[in-house]
Amino acid sequence: MSNSVSELTALSQKDIVGIFKQNLIDEADFKQSDTHVFIVLGASGDLAKKKIYPTLWWLYMDGLLPEDTYIVGFARSPLTVTDIQRNIYPYLKVREEQKGVLEDFVGRNSYVRGRYDDPESFRGLDAHIRSLVKGRKANRLFYLALPPSVYESVTRNIKEACMGHGGWNRVIVEKPFGKDLESSNKLSSHLNSLFREDQLYRIDHYLGKEMVQNLMVLRFANRIFGPVWNRDNIATVVLTFKEPFGTEGRGGYFDDFGIIRDVMQNHMMQMLCLVAMEKPSSTSSDDVRDEKVKVLKAVPPVEFSDVVLGQYVGDCRGEGEAKKGYLDDPTVPKGSVTPTFATVVMYIQNERWDGVPFVLRCGKALNERKAEVRLQFRDVAGDIFDSQCKRNELVIRVQPNEAVYTKMMTKKPGMFFSPEESELDLTYRERYKDVKLPDAYERLILDVFCGSQMHFVRSDELKEAWRIFTPLLHKIEHEKIKPLSYVYGSRGPQQADELLKRVGFRYEGTYKWVNPNKL
């Protein structure tokens, strides 16, 4: 879009949506007259109810879907469209004046009941799609909002019974994409035997977040960062993902995967790639993903000596309601050693980053909700201020309260000639007061309609990420390594902070970013 930032902030939300829509129409490979059918496989599940249907509603409400779009739910449950509407309504955020639009949206929905392993059910689904207006030649999007255990049978049945021949076919696959390198390769081989790579959209919702997408713009659209974005100037890169809640009834699911598979191998490695990759030759999907793969290929498998694992225990010390530990969750197997916290140090063995530690830390039941990228720069050479200078940092805060800020030294105001730490702060809610930031799923589902795969995971990316973590995961599980205990609501195990200090990160700054909405 050609509008400047100042012009955008002055526009109404309606104006912004209009510009965004026209930009998408110009770039997309669909015609507005085409019919599109979005098939939600697993329509009765939580993901469909809480994310997929609400996302489709928000896109429809903003006029961002192609005009002739139909939504077909498919699941084993005996549901009706009325049942689906009742189930999803609490998550739609419908204002009074939008109820007429909601009726139109519901009218575009239908439902087919069937079994995931039954070819006849999918032939019935195909017949239903063809019965829709212009359905025979419709573009088809299949969203697998399903457990991985049924991926193989569902995708085989899609290929054999439901592929349209008049338009394109695209399949959206939710993580987890396997549990280790072997299982991931098996799934990839199965999918690649059925579909072309340009038909597969492996969705990692973190790639749809505003500040994750902003990493490429910050790096490659600003001259000031290019010369310093390397091992000569950056001492440490820390990527953080913290949640202030535990598994709380979902421990049975979580225990099969653990924090490394749940967060680190996918979300955090995608952020690492965007921080570390070289400038792509263009913003085309393959050019961007080629550079991400090069980063991953330069990372050796993680060494256990560079890892700290933790598992939260209950906190009965503080005031208010006591917090239960991971093993207190009745859905968690007794005596489980599954980590709920991990700090991992890895190194990228290429010319730009050789020797720079990349620290990935993530966990549940910690002291705050936060996801960020923090680049800590090296000490200023030739210090003339008697060691009063703190290290500069560039922080990209992904959530909550999106922000970009730089910690820097400035002269202390007044009758002083001494440095103190301050900041240059771009907090989105302050700078872009009237701009709605789309949900990650909104961006990504719209990308699938438009045929853009830049923010989706390619099979070779997936293979390299699993190569890095599989030896560590097998060691943890085969040797049943017991994680360190940390208290619910703490920063995590103290040993994790010690690991950061050992690899050169300094907790020495006096400035801490404060959410301006709380001032």
Side-chain angles (χ1 to χ4, degrees), residues 5 7 38 88 156 166 185 189 194 296 342 398-399 437 476 483 501:
V5 170
E7 289 171 328
F38 193 103
I88 67 177
R156 188 181 299 109
N185 285 346
S189 296
L194 301 173
L296 294 170
V398 176
Q399 68 180 26
L437 297 181
I476 292 169
K501 292 177 183 177

Side-chain angles (χ1 to χ4, degrees), residues 264-290:
M264 190 175 285
Q265 182 270 343
N266 38 74
H267 302 335
M268 302 193 77
M269 288 302 288
Q270 288 294 325
M271 289 196 293
L272 179 144
C273 288
L274 292 169
V275 171
M277 72 183 193
E278 299 298 320
K279 181 188 283 189
S281 56
S282 76
T283 56
S284 75
S285 301
D286 280 336
D287 284 346
V288 172
R289 297 192 294 182
D290 285 347

Side-chain angles (χ1 to χ4, degrees), residues 9 43 114 134 216 317 320 326 345 354 386 408 440 462 468 479:
T9 55
K134 299 180 183 177
M216 277 187 61
R317 306 164 305 165
Y326 180 68
V345 181
D354 190 35
D386 297 326
M408 57 178 288
L462 192 59
I468 293 165
E479 299 181 18

Side-chain angles (χ1 to χ4, degrees), residues 209-265:
K209 288 189 175 291
E210 178 74 25
M211 300 311 293
V212 174
Q213 294 193 355
N214 198 16
L215 278 165
M216 277 187 61
V217 179
L218 284 171
R219 285 198 58 194
F220 303 126
N222 292 293
R223 177 70 178 176
I224 60 173
F225 293 131
V228 299
W229 208 271
N230 54 49
R231 62 191 175 96
D232 295 328
N233 297 283
I234 295 174
T236 319
V237 179
V238 181
L239 295 92
T240 300
F241 181 99
K242 300 168 78 173
E243 291 180 328
F245 50 83
T247 54
E248 294 161 3
R250 295 183 65 250
Y253 167 82
F254 180 85
D255 203 76
D256 283 339
F257 296 95
I259 197 69
I260 294 175
R261 289 188 180 95
D262 194 44
V263 174
M264 190 175 285
Q265 182 270 343

Side-chain angles (χ1 to χ4, degrees), residues 219 269-279 288-300 346-350 352-353 358 461 464-465 467-468:
R219 285 198 58 194
M269 288 302 288
Q270 288 294 325
M271 289 196 293
L272 179 144
C273 288
L274 292 169
V275 171
M277 72 183 193
E278 299 298 320
K279 181 188 283 189
V288 172
R289 297 192 294 182
D290 285 347
E291 295 303 330
K292 289 162 70 179
V293 171
K294 289 178 186 177
V295 171
L296 294 170
K297 284 184 174 181
V299 179
M346 56 183 59
Y347 295 88
I348 302 171
Q349 296 178 344
N350 63 17
R352 181 181 293 273
W353 296 112
F358 280 72
E461 283 183 79
E464 292 299 328
R467 174 191 60 79
I468 293 165

Side-chain angles (χ1 to χ4, degrees), residues 110-166:
S110 56
Y111 179 76
V112 175
R113 184 185 182 189
R115 299 200 316 271
Y116 299 128
D117 60 350
D118 178 27
E120 189 61 37
S121 295
F122 282 80
R123 284 191 280 273
L125 174 61
D126 179 63
H128 176 76
I129 294 170
R130 286 188 280 110
S131 73
L132 299 172
V133 178
K134 299 180 183 177
R136 290 180 178 274
K137 295 185 178 182
N139 299 319
R140 302 184 182 191
L141 296 83
F142 299 89
Y143 198 114
L144 273 58
L146 297 163
S149 57
V150 298
Y151 280 178
E152 288 198 13
S153 59
V154 166
T155 51
R156 188 181 299 109
N157 284 326
I158 289 173
K159 176 66 175 180
E160 293 175 357
C162 285
M163 298 285 278
H165 300 290

Side-chain angles (χ1 to χ4, degrees), residues 378-392 409 417-420 506 508:
R378 295 189 180 278
D379 296 322
V380 174
D383 178 30
I384 61 172
F385 293 104
D386 297 326
S387 301
Q388 296 181 70
C389 293
K390 313 299 182 186
R391 283 183 168 180
N392 298 141
M409 303 306 298
F417 190 69
S418 56
E420 73 170 4
R506 291 190 189 167
E508 63 179 7

